[in-house]
Amino acid sequence: MAVEIRPVESKKELETFLRVPWTLGMKSVPNWVPPLLDDYRRSLDPKKSPFLKHGEVECFLALRDGTPVGRISAQIDTDFDK
């Protein structure tokens, strides 16, 4: 039952990445306020994200037996790292 870490490379994988909180059962937590998926999509779209005009992002999925069990992203802000 090893966890596989895989980079997000397709639109389908991006949708899976965005919906991980739902697959983990967060919607059953009474105080959880779900994120606005359109906002998440815009923040990860190089054509629409102000950050991605000067920075970089890479998203990763953690999968166990093909089922998402976590997610993580790494960002580099090239304006800050001068």
Side-chain angles (χ1 to χ4, degrees):
M1 265 219 227
V3 174
E4 174 190 4
I5 307 298
R6 195 164 57 199
V8 172
E9 296 176 338
S10 69
K11 286 186 178 187
K12 182 178 179 182
E13 289 172 337
L14 180 60
E15 283 303 309
T16 302
F17 176 85
L18 294 174
R19 294 177 184 277
V20 165
W22 283 268
T23 62
L24 297 178
M26 288 301 297
K27 67 182 180 181
S28 66
V29 176
N31 294 324
W32 182 60
V33 178
L36 299 173
L37 290 175
D38 284 343
D39 286 348
Y40 269 175
R41 285 185 196 100
R42 269 194 298 278
S43 70
L44 296 173
D45 184 340
K47 296 177 184 174
K48 297 178 181 175
S49 170
F51 172 77
L52 293 178
K53 293 192 184 333
H54 61 84
E56 301 173 45
V57 65
E58 185 75 28
C59 299
F60 300 89
L61 280 168
L63 304 164
R64 182 178 289 133
D65 298 327
T67 301
V69 292
R71 66 182 184 178
I72 193 166
S73 66
Q75 298 83 24
I76 298 175
D77 187 340
T78 53
D79 281 356
F80 183 76
D81 291 340
K82 289 184 179 182

